Amino acid sequence: FGIQDQYSDGKAAKVWHLYIGGKKRTDEYKEKLVGLLKKHNVQTVLDAACGTGVDSLILLEAGFTVKSVDASDKMLKYAHKMRWQRRKEDIFDAWEIGE
């Protein structure tokens, strides 16, 4: 049983990464997201349904500890790729990604 991965063909992940992950989020979005979390003294974030990891990247760069999960291994492929590319940075080496 279980739920079929709606992204199993990999097409949506490529489009998502191209149009969402490939563009920088606005400074206003980053400022509001990071500001809200810091206001409430958040240190660790679970990015559920993280997709390609775009928001996780924002949070990691802002100094948060992040655990990213998504039901689609096709979407997570992009998050794993980002982690691998920046693995020499301690915070990225510690980034947890899973299904």
Side-chain angles (χ1 to χ4, degrees), residues 4-38:
Q4 182 180 2
D5 182 355
Q6 61 184 339
Y7 305 109
S8 61
D9 62 6
K11 293 177 185 175
K14 289 177 187 174
V15 171
W16 180 265
H17 190 71
L18 178 65
Y19 290 103
I20 303 297
K23 293 182 179 181
K24 291 185 177 183
R25 294 281 181 111
T26 65
D27 289 337
E28 183 178 332
Y29 173 78
K30 289 179 189 179
E31 185 178 312
K32 286 183 180 184
L33 177 62
V34 171
L36 178 66
L37 294 172
K38 286 187 176 186

PDB file of all heavy atoms in Angstrom, residues 4-38:
ATOM      1  N   GLN A   4       1.507   6.671  -3.595  1.00  0.00           N
ATOM      2  CA  GLN A   4       2.398   6.712  -4.744  1.00  0.00           C
ATOM      3  C   GLN A   4       3.087   8.077  -4.790  1.00  0.00           C
ATOM      4  O   GLN A   4       2.476   9.112  -4.550  1.00  0.00           O
ATOM      5  CB  GLN A   4       1.622   6.489  -6.032  1.00  0.00           C
ATOM      6  CG  GLN A   4       2.527   6.483  -7.254  1.00  0.00           C
ATOM      7  CD  GLN A   4       1.758   6.264  -8.545  1.00  0.00           C
ATOM      8  OE1 GLN A   4       0.540   6.159  -8.544  1.00  0.00           O
ATOM      9  NE2 GLN A   4       2.459   6.216  -9.640  1.00  0.00           N
ATOM     10  N   ASP A   5       4.367   8.063  -5.103  1.00  0.00           N
ATOM     11  CA  ASP A   5       5.140   9.290  -5.226  1.00  0.00           C
ATOM     12  C   ASP A   5       4.696  10.022  -6.480  1.00  0.00           C
ATOM     13  O   ASP A   5       4.945   9.572  -7.596  1.00  0.00           O
ATOM     14  CB  ASP A   5       6.630   8.950  -5.294  1.00  0.00           C
ATOM     15  CG  ASP A   5       7.534  10.161  -5.381  1.00  0.00           C
ATOM     16  OD1 ASP A   5       7.019  11.293  -5.491  1.00  0.00           O
ATOM     17  OD2 ASP A   5       8.756   9.972  -5.347  1.00  0.00           O
ATOM     18  N   GLN A   6       4.032  11.167  -6.284  1.00  0.00           N
ATOM     19  CA  GLN A   6       3.532  11.926  -7.426  1.00  0.00           C
ATOM     20  C   GLN A   6       4.663  12.540  -8.250  1.00  0.00           C
ATOM     21  O   GLN A   6       4.447  13.050  -9.341  1.00  0.00           O
ATOM     22  CB  GLN A   6       2.563  13.007  -6.970  1.00  0.00           C
ATOM     23  CG  GLN A   6       3.184  14.024  -6.032  1.00  0.00           C
ATOM     24  CD  GLN A   6       2.166  15.011  -5.521  1.00  0.00           C
ATOM     25  OE1 GLN A   6       1.114  15.194  -6.121  1.00  0.00           O
ATOM     26  NE2 GLN A   6       2.460  15.657  -4.425  1.00  0.00           N
ATOM     27  N   TYR A   7       5.872  12.499  -7.719  1.00  0.00           N
ATOM     28  CA  TYR A   7       7.024  13.057  -8.416  1.00  0.00           C
ATOM     29  C   TYR A   7       7.944  11.966  -8.942  1.00  0.00           C
ATOM     30  O   TYR A   7       9.092  12.230  -9.278  1.00  0.00           O
ATOM     31  CB  TYR A   7       7.811  13.971  -7.472  1.00  0.00           C
ATOM     32  CG  TYR A   7       6.974  15.059  -6.863  1.00  0.00           C
ATOM     33  CD1 TYR A   7       6.629  15.029  -5.515  1.00  0.00           C
ATOM     34  CD2 TYR A   7       6.506  16.115  -7.628  1.00  0.00           C
ATOM     35  CE1 TYR A   7       5.852  16.024  -4.953  1.00  0.00           C
ATOM     36  CE2 TYR A   7       5.731  17.120  -7.073  1.00  0.00           C
ATOM     37  CZ  TYR A   7       5.406  17.070  -5.740  1.00  0.00           C
ATOM     38  OH  TYR A   7       4.642  18.051  -5.182  1.00  0.00           O
ATOM     39  N   SER A   8       7.465  10.728  -9.001  1.00  0.00           N
ATOM     40  CA  SER A   8       8.317   9.583  -9.299  1.00  0.00           C
ATOM     41  C   SER A   8       8.985   9.649 -10.669  1.00  0.00           C
ATOM     42  O   SER A   8      10.033   9.044 -10.871  1.00  0.00           O
ATOM     43  CB  SER A   8       7.538   8.279  -9.172  1.00  0.00           C
ATOM     44  OG  SER A   8       6.466   8.255 -10.090  1.00  0.00           O
ATOM     45  N   ASP A   9       8.412  10.395 -11.598  1.00  0.00           N
ATOM     46  CA  ASP A   9       9.033  10.471 -12.924  1.00  0.00           C
ATOM     47  C   ASP A   9      10.183  11.482 -12.964  1.00  0.00           C
ATOM     48  O   ASP A   9      10.922  11.562 -13.932  1.00  0.00           O
ATOM     49  CB  ASP A   9       8.004  10.798 -14.008  1.00  0.00           C
ATOM     50  CG  ASP A   9       7.327  12.151 -13.811  1.00  0.00           C
ATOM     51  OD1 ASP A   9       7.718  12.912 -12.896  1.00  0.00           O
ATOM     52  OD2 ASP A   9       6.402  12.445 -14.583  1.00  0.00           O
ATOM     53  N   GLY A  10      10.352  12.262 -11.903  1.00  0.00           N
ATOM     54  CA  GLY A  10      11.446  13.224 -11.835  1.00  0.00           C
ATOM     55  C   GLY A  10      11.196  14.545 -12.548  1.00  0.00           C
ATOM     56  O   GLY A  10      11.948  15.487 -12.392  1.00  0.00           O
ATOM     57  N   LYS A  11      10.120  14.630 -13.327  1.00  0.00           N
ATOM     58  CA  LYS A  11       9.842  15.850 -14.101  1.00  0.00           C
ATOM     59  C   LYS A  11       9.510  17.039 -13.200  1.00  0.00           C
ATOM     60  O   LYS A  11      10.005  18.140 -13.410  1.00  0.00           O
ATOM     61  CB  LYS A  11       8.706  15.607 -15.086  1.00  0.00           C
ATOM     62  CG  LYS A  11       9.055  14.642 -16.189  1.00  0.00           C
ATOM     63  CD  LYS A  11       7.869  14.390 -17.095  1.00  0.00           C
ATOM     64  CE  LYS A  11       8.201  13.326 -18.122  1.00  0.00           C
ATOM     65  NZ  LYS A  11       7.036  12.978 -18.934  1.00  0.00           N
ATOM     66  N   ALA A  12       8.686  16.809 -12.201  1.00  0.00           N
ATOM     67  CA  ALA A  12       8.286  17.905 -11.305  1.00  0.00           C
ATOM     68  C   ALA A  12       9.486  18.434 -10.535  1.00  0.00           C
ATOM     69  O   ALA A  12       9.621  19.640 -10.336  1.00  0.00           O
ATOM     70  CB  ALA A  12       7.186  17.449 -10.354  1.00  0.00           C
ATOM     71  N   ALA A  13      10.369  17.537 -10.111  1.00  0.00           N
ATOM     72  CA  ALA A  13      11.552  17.968  -9.361  1.00  0.00           C
ATOM     73  C   ALA A  13      12.431  18.877 -10.206  1.00  0.00           C
ATOM     74  O   ALA A  13      12.942  19.881  -9.724  1.00  0.00           O
ATOM     75  CB  ALA A  13      12.352  16.757  -8.883  1.00  0.00           C
ATOM     76  N   LYS A  14      12.580  18.547 -11.468  1.00  0.00           N
ATOM     77  CA  LYS A  14      13.396  19.383 -12.359  1.00  0.00           C
ATOM     78  C   LYS A  14      12.764  20.759 -12.530  1.00  0.00           C
ATOM     79  O   LYS A  14      13.454  21.773 -12.495  1.00  0.00           O
ATOM     80  CB  LYS A  14      13.560  18.706 -13.718  1.00  0.00           C
ATOM     81  CG  LYS A  14      14.466  17.501 -13.668  1.00  0.00           C
ATOM     82  CD  LYS A  14      14.548  16.827 -15.009  1.00  0.00           C
ATOM     83  CE  LYS A  14      15.327  15.532 -14.894  1.00  0.00           C
ATOM     84  NZ  LYS A  14      15.321  14.775 -16.135  1.00  0.00           N
ATOM     85  N   VAL A  15      11.466  20.803 -12.723  1.00  0.00           N
ATOM     86  CA  VAL A  15      10.767  22.073 -12.894  1.00  0.00           C
ATOM     87  C   VAL A  15      10.805  22.867 -11.599  1.00  0.00           C
ATOM     88  O   VAL A  15      11.081  24.067 -11.601  1.00  0.00           O
ATOM     89  CB  VAL A  15       9.309  21.845 -13.358  1.00  0.00           C
ATOM     90  CG1 VAL A  15       8.513  23.133 -13.330  1.00  0.00           C
ATOM     91  CG2 VAL A  15       9.300  21.240 -14.740  1.00  0.00           C
ATOM     92  N   TRP A  16      10.536  22.203 -10.475  1.00  0.00           N
ATOM     93  CA  TRP A  16      10.550  22.869  -9.171  1.00  0.00           C
ATOM     94  C   TRP A  16      11.906  23.497  -8.928  1.00  0.00           C
ATOM     95  O   TRP A  16      12.028  24.651  -8.559  1.00  0.00           O
ATOM     96  CB  TRP A  16      10.219  21.867  -8.066  1.00  0.00           C
ATOM     97  CG  TRP A  16      10.199  22.460  -6.700  1.00  0.00           C
ATOM     98  CD1 TRP A  16      11.208  22.470  -5.800  1.00  0.00           C
ATOM     99  CD2 TRP A  16       9.113  23.150  -6.085  1.00  0.00           C
ATOM    100  NE1 TRP A  16      10.833  23.112  -4.649  1.00  0.00           N
ATOM    101  CE2 TRP A  16       9.540  23.541  -4.810  1.00  0.00           C
ATOM    102  CE3 TRP A  16       7.816  23.466  -6.493  1.00  0.00           C
ATOM    103  CZ2 TRP A  16       8.728  24.233  -3.927  1.00  0.00           C
ATOM    104  CZ3 TRP A  16       7.013  24.150  -5.611  1.00  0.00           C
ATOM    105  CH2 TRP A  16       7.471  24.523  -4.350  1.00  0.00           C
ATOM    106  N   HIS A  17      12.960  22.728  -9.149  1.00  0.00           N
ATOM    107  CA  HIS A  17      14.305  23.230  -8.906  1.00  0.00           C
ATOM    108  C   HIS A  17      14.638  24.380  -9.854  1.00  0.00           C
ATOM    109  O   HIS A  17      15.257  25.356  -9.456  1.00  0.00           O
ATOM    110  CB  HIS A  17      15.325  22.107  -9.051  1.00  0.00           C
ATOM    111  CG  HIS A  17      16.686  22.496  -8.596  1.00  0.00           C
ATOM    112  ND1 HIS A  17      16.998  22.682  -7.274  1.00  0.00           N
ATOM    113  CD2 HIS A  17      17.808  22.775  -9.279  1.00  0.00           C
ATOM    114  CE1 HIS A  17      18.257  23.041  -7.167  1.00  0.00           C
ATOM    115  NE2 HIS A  17      18.767  23.109  -8.378  1.00  0.00           N
ATOM    116  N   LEU A  18      14.206  24.279 -11.080  1.00  0.00           N
ATOM    117  CA  LEU A  18      14.480  25.323 -12.066  1.00  0.00           C
ATOM    118  C   LEU A  18      13.778  26.625 -11.719  1.00  0.00           C
ATOM    119  O   LEU A  18      14.386  27.702 -11.722  1.00  0.00           O
ATOM    120  CB  LEU A  18      14.046  24.853 -13.465  1.00  0.00           C
ATOM    121  CG  LEU A  18      14.224  25.857 -14.599  1.00  0.00           C
ATOM    122  CD1 LEU A  18      15.702  26.154 -14.817  1.00  0.00           C
ATOM    123  CD2 LEU A  18      13.603  25.302 -15.877  1.00  0.00           C
ATOM    124  N   TYR A  19      12.488  26.545 -11.392  1.00  0.00           N
ATOM    125  CA  TYR A  19      11.713  27.766 -11.177  1.00  0.00           C
ATOM    126  C   TYR A  19      11.679  28.253  -9.735  1.00  0.00           C
ATOM    127  O   TYR A  19      11.504  29.436  -9.495  1.00  0.00           O
ATOM    128  CB  TYR A  19      10.282  27.579 -11.698  1.00  0.00           C
ATOM    129  CG  TYR A  19      10.257  27.504 -13.196  1.00  0.00           C
ATOM    130  CD1 TYR A  19      10.110  26.288 -13.843  1.00  0.00           C
ATOM    131  CD2 TYR A  19      10.430  28.635 -13.964  1.00  0.00           C
ATOM    132  CE1 TYR A  19      10.116  26.205 -15.224  1.00  0.00           C
ATOM    133  CE2 TYR A  19      10.443  28.567 -15.343  1.00  0.00           C
ATOM    134  CZ  TYR A  19      10.288  27.342 -15.969  1.00  0.00           C
ATOM    135  OH  TYR A  19      10.313  27.271 -17.318  1.00  0.00           O
ATOM    136  N   ILE A  20      11.832  27.357  -8.782  1.00  0.00           N
ATOM    137  CA  ILE A  20      11.815  27.775  -7.377  1.00  0.00           C
ATOM    138  C   ILE A  20      13.227  27.743  -6.815  1.00  0.00           C
ATOM    139  O   ILE A  20      13.722  28.712  -6.275  1.00  0.00           O
ATOM    140  CB  ILE A  20      10.894  26.863  -6.526  1.00  0.00           C
ATOM    141  CG1 ILE A  20       9.471  26.858  -7.082  1.00  0.00           C
ATOM    142  CG2 ILE A  20      10.929  27.286  -5.064  1.00  0.00           C
ATOM    143  CD1 ILE A  20       8.771  28.201  -7.060  1.00  0.00           C
ATOM    144  N   GLY A  21      13.883  26.606  -6.929  1.00  0.00           N
ATOM    145  CA  GLY A  21      15.219  26.450  -6.366  1.00  0.00           C
ATOM    146  C   GLY A  21      16.293  27.187  -7.127  1.00  0.00           C
ATOM    147  O   GLY A  21      17.323  27.533  -6.575  1.00  0.00           O
ATOM    148  N   GLY A  22      16.055  27.430  -8.405  1.00  0.00           N
ATOM    149  CA  GLY A  22      17.060  28.098  -9.217  1.00  0.00           C
ATOM    150  C   GLY A  22      17.066  29.604  -9.038  1.00  0.00           C
ATOM    151  O   GLY A  22      17.994  30.272  -9.446  1.00  0.00           O
ATOM    152  N   LYS A  23      16.052  30.145  -8.439  1.00  0.00           N
ATOM    153  CA  LYS A  23      15.974  31.590  -8.213  1.00  0.00           C
ATOM    154  C   LYS A  23      16.204  31.885  -6.748  1.00  0.00           C
ATOM    155  O   LYS A  23      15.826  31.128  -5.871  1.00  0.00           O
ATOM    156  CB  LYS A  23      14.594  32.122  -8.602  1.00  0.00           C
ATOM    157  CG  LYS A  23      14.306  32.054 -10.079  1.00  0.00           C
ATOM    158  CD  LYS A  23      12.949  32.648 -10.366  1.00  0.00           C
ATOM    159  CE  LYS A  23      12.680  32.585 -11.854  1.00  0.00           C
ATOM    160  NZ  LYS A  23      11.393  33.163 -12.200  1.00  0.00           N
ATOM    161  N   LYS A  24      16.808  33.015  -6.480  1.00  0.00           N
ATOM    162  CA  LYS A  24      16.993  33.410  -5.082  1.00  0.00           C
ATOM    163  C   LYS A  24      15.669  33.928  -4.541  1.00  0.00           C
ATOM    164  O   LYS A  24      14.944  34.634  -5.223  1.00  0.00           O
ATOM    165  CB  LYS A  24      18.052  34.495  -4.981  1.00  0.00           C
ATOM    166  CG  LYS A  24      19.431  33.992  -5.293  1.00  0.00           C
ATOM    167  CD  LYS A  24      20.439  35.068  -5.050  1.00  0.00           C
ATOM    168  CE  LYS A  24      21.817  34.517  -5.311  1.00  0.00           C
ATOM    169  NZ  LYS A  24      22.859  35.482  -5.029  1.00  0.00           N
ATOM    170  N   ARG A  25      15.381  33.537  -3.304  1.00  0.00           N
ATOM    171  CA  ARG A  25      14.185  34.065  -2.661  1.00  0.00           C
ATOM    172  C   ARG A  25      14.426  35.528  -2.347  1.00  0.00           C
ATOM    173  O   ARG A  25      15.560  35.959  -2.153  1.00  0.00           O
ATOM    174  CB  ARG A  25      13.887  33.301  -1.367  1.00  0.00           C
ATOM    175  CG  ARG A  25      13.505  31.871  -1.582  1.00  0.00           C
ATOM    176  CD  ARG A  25      12.049  31.788  -2.023  1.00  0.00           C
ATOM    177  NE  ARG A  25      11.650  30.427  -2.218  1.00  0.00           N
ATOM    178  CZ  ARG A  25      10.788  29.795  -1.438  1.00  0.00           C
ATOM    179  NH1 ARG A  25      10.256  30.384  -0.410  1.00  0.00           N
ATOM    180  NH2 ARG A  25      10.463  28.556  -1.698  1.00  0.00           N
ATOM    181  N   THR A  26      13.377  36.279  -2.273  1.00  0.00           N
ATOM    182  CA  THR A  26      13.534  37.701  -1.998  1.00  0.00           C
ATOM    183  C   THR A  26      14.112  37.938  -0.620  1.00  0.00           C
ATOM    184  O   THR A  26      13.943  37.140   0.294  1.00  0.00           O
ATOM    185  CB  THR A  26      12.184  38.430  -2.102  1.00  0.00           C
ATOM    186  OG1 THR A  26      11.334  37.939  -1.068  1.00  0.00           O
ATOM    187  CG2 THR A  26      11.529  38.240  -3.451  1.00  0.00           C
ATOM    188  N   ASP A  27      14.804  39.035  -0.486  1.00  0.00           N
ATOM    189  CA  ASP A  27      15.369  39.387   0.816  1.00  0.00           C
ATOM    190  C   ASP A  27      14.271  39.542   1.852  1.00  0.00           C
ATOM    191  O   ASP A  27      14.450  39.186   3.015  1.00  0.00           O
ATOM    192  CB  ASP A  27      16.175  40.685   0.712  1.00  0.00           C
ATOM    193  CG  ASP A  27      17.471  40.502  -0.066  1.00  0.00           C
ATOM    194  OD1 ASP A  27      17.958  39.357  -0.152  1.00  0.00           O
ATOM    195  OD2 ASP A  27      17.988  41.501  -0.589  1.00  0.00           O
ATOM    196  N   GLU A  28      13.123  40.043   1.430  1.00  0.00           N
ATOM    197  CA  GLU A  28      12.002  40.232   2.365  1.00  0.00           C
ATOM    198  C   GLU A  28      11.529  38.892   2.921  1.00  0.00           C
ATOM    199  O   GLU A  28      11.288  38.762   4.119  1.00  0.00           O
ATOM    200  CB  GLU A  28      10.850  40.941   1.666  1.00  0.00           C
ATOM    201  CG  GLU A  28       9.686  41.248   2.568  1.00  0.00           C
ATOM    202  CD  GLU A  28       8.566  41.991   1.847  1.00  0.00           C
ATOM    203  OE1 GLU A  28       8.852  42.708   0.869  1.00  0.00           O
ATOM    204  OE2 GLU A  28       7.410  41.820   2.263  1.00  0.00           O
ATOM    205  N   TYR A  29      11.402  37.880   2.067  1.00  0.00           N
ATOM    206  CA  TYR A  29      10.976  36.553   2.509  1.00  0.00           C
ATOM    207  C   TYR A  29      11.977  35.982   3.511  1.00  0.00           C
ATOM    208  O   TYR A  29      11.605  35.491   4.578  1.00  0.00           O
ATOM    209  CB  TYR A  29      10.826  35.617   1.310  1.00  0.00           C
ATOM    210  CG  TYR A  29      10.540  34.185   1.712  1.00  0.00           C
ATOM    211  CD1 TYR A  29       9.261  33.809   2.114  1.00  0.00           C
ATOM    212  CD2 TYR A  29      11.540  33.228   1.717  1.00  0.00           C
ATOM    213  CE1 TYR A  29       8.993  32.502   2.506  1.00  0.00           C
ATOM    214  CE2 TYR A  29      11.287  31.925   2.105  1.00  0.00           C
ATOM    215  CZ  TYR A  29      10.013  31.568   2.499  1.00  0.00           C
ATOM    216  OH  TYR A  29       9.757  30.287   2.887  1.00  0.00           O
ATOM    217  N   LYS A  30      13.260  36.044   3.159  1.00  0.00           N
ATOM    218  CA  LYS A  30      14.301  35.527   4.043  1.00  0.00           C
ATOM    219  C   LYS A  30      14.273  36.252   5.386  1.00  0.00           C
ATOM    220  O   LYS A  30      14.351  35.631   6.436  1.00  0.00           O
ATOM    221  CB  LYS A  30      15.678  35.713   3.417  1.00  0.00           C
ATOM    222  CG  LYS A  30      15.962  34.832   2.247  1.00  0.00           C
ATOM    223  CD  LYS A  30      17.348  35.142   1.715  1.00  0.00           C
ATOM    224  CE  LYS A  30      17.618  34.449   0.413  1.00  0.00           C
ATOM    225  NZ  LYS A  30      18.941  34.754  -0.118  1.00  0.00           N
ATOM    226  N   GLU A  31      14.178  37.572   5.311  1.00  0.00           N
ATOM    227  CA  GLU A  31      14.185  38.387   6.527  1.00  0.00           C
ATOM    228  C   GLU A  31      13.021  38.025   7.447  1.00  0.00           C
ATOM    229  O   GLU A  31      13.191  37.870   8.654  1.00  0.00           O
ATOM    230  CB  GLU A  31      14.124  39.866   6.150  1.00  0.00           C
ATOM    231  CG  GLU A  31      14.244  40.819   7.304  1.00  0.00           C
ATOM    232  CD  GLU A  31      14.216  42.261   6.847  1.00  0.00           C
ATOM    233  OE1 GLU A  31      14.943  42.610   5.907  1.00  0.00           O
ATOM    234  OE2 GLU A  31      13.439  43.038   7.453  1.00  0.00           O
ATOM    235  N   LYS A  32      11.827  37.866   6.873  1.00  0.00           N
ATOM    236  CA  LYS A  32      10.653  37.529   7.683  1.00  0.00           C
ATOM    237  C   LYS A  32      10.758  36.126   8.271  1.00  0.00           C
ATOM    238  O   LYS A  32      10.471  35.922   9.450  1.00  0.00           O
ATOM    239  CB  LYS A  32       9.368  37.663   6.860  1.00  0.00           C
ATOM    240  CG  LYS A  32       8.970  39.097   6.626  1.00  0.00           C
ATOM    241  CD  LYS A  32       7.663  39.199   5.888  1.00  0.00           C
ATOM    242  CE  LYS A  32       7.309  40.666   5.693  1.00  0.00           C
ATOM    243  NZ  LYS A  32       6.017  40.842   5.059  1.00  0.00           N
ATOM    244  N   LEU A  33      11.150  35.167   7.466  1.00  0.00           N
ATOM    245  CA  LEU A  33      11.254  33.784   7.934  1.00  0.00           C
ATOM    246  C   LEU A  33      12.299  33.651   9.040  1.00  0.00           C
ATOM    247  O   LEU A  33      12.010  33.154  10.125  1.00  0.00           O
ATOM    248  CB  LEU A  33      11.601  32.858   6.764  1.00  0.00           C
ATOM    249  CG  LEU A  33      11.817  31.388   7.094  1.00  0.00           C
ATOM    250  CD1 LEU A  33      10.544  30.772   7.666  1.00  0.00           C
ATOM    251  CD2 LEU A  33      12.280  30.632   5.861  1.00  0.00           C
ATOM    252  N   VAL A  34      13.487  34.120   8.770  1.00  0.00           N
ATOM    253  CA  VAL A  34      14.573  34.014   9.739  1.00  0.00           C
ATOM    254  C   VAL A  34      14.274  34.862  10.976  1.00  0.00           C
ATOM    255  O   VAL A  34      14.484  34.426  12.114  1.00  0.00           O
ATOM    256  CB  VAL A  34      15.916  34.413   9.087  1.00  0.00           C
ATOM    257  CG1 VAL A  34      17.019  34.527  10.128  1.00  0.00           C
ATOM    258  CG2 VAL A  34      16.298  33.400   8.007  1.00  0.00           C
ATOM    259  N   GLY A  35      13.743  36.062  10.765  1.00  0.00           N
ATOM    260  CA  GLY A  35      13.408  36.939  11.886  1.00  0.00           C
ATOM    261  C   GLY A  35      12.379  36.329  12.824  1.00  0.00           C
ATOM    262  O   GLY A  35      12.524  36.396  14.047  1.00  0.00           O
ATOM    263  N   LEU A  36      11.351  35.721  12.261  1.00  0.00           N
ATOM    264  CA  LEU A  36      10.310  35.082  13.070  1.00  0.00           C
ATOM    265  C   LEU A  36      10.878  33.934  13.904  1.00  0.00           C
ATOM    266  O   LEU A  36      10.599  33.808  15.091  1.00  0.00           O
ATOM    267  CB  LEU A  36       9.185  34.570  12.172  1.00  0.00           C
ATOM    268  CG  LEU A  36       8.041  33.841  12.872  1.00  0.00           C
ATOM    269  CD1 LEU A  36       7.273  34.799  13.776  1.00  0.00           C
ATOM    270  CD2 LEU A  36       7.108  33.235  11.834  1.00  0.00           C
ATOM    271  N   LEU A  37      11.691  33.105  13.280  1.00  0.00           N
ATOM    272  CA  LEU A  37      12.272  31.968  13.997  1.00  0.00           C
ATOM    273  C   LEU A  37      13.225  32.426  15.098  1.00  0.00           C
ATOM    274  O   LEU A  37      13.220  31.884  16.201  1.00  0.00           O
ATOM    275  CB  LEU A  37      12.976  31.034  13.014  1.00  0.00           C
ATOM    276  CG  LEU A  37      12.050  30.334  12.011  1.00  0.00           C
ATOM    277  CD1 LEU A  37      12.863  29.590  10.967  1.00  0.00           C
ATOM    278  CD2 LEU A  37      11.079  29.410  12.707  1.00  0.00           C
ATOM    279  N   LYS A  38      14.032  33.424  14.811  1.00  0.00           N
ATOM    280  CA  LYS A  38      14.968  33.931  15.830  1.00  0.00           C
ATOM    281  C   LYS A  38      14.223  34.626  16.960  1.00  0.00           C
ATOM    282  O   LYS A  38      14.630  34.516  18.119  1.00  0.00           O
ATOM    283  CB  LYS A  38      15.992  34.855  15.185  1.00  0.00           C
ATOM    284  CG  LYS A  38      17.014  34.085  14.367  1.00  0.00           C
ATOM    285  CD  LYS A  38      18.128  34.958  13.870  1.00  0.00           C
ATOM    286  CE  LYS A  38      19.147  34.085  13.146  1.00  0.00           C
ATOM    287  NZ  LYS A  38      20.330  34.835  12.744  1.00  0.00           N
TER     288      LYS A  38
END
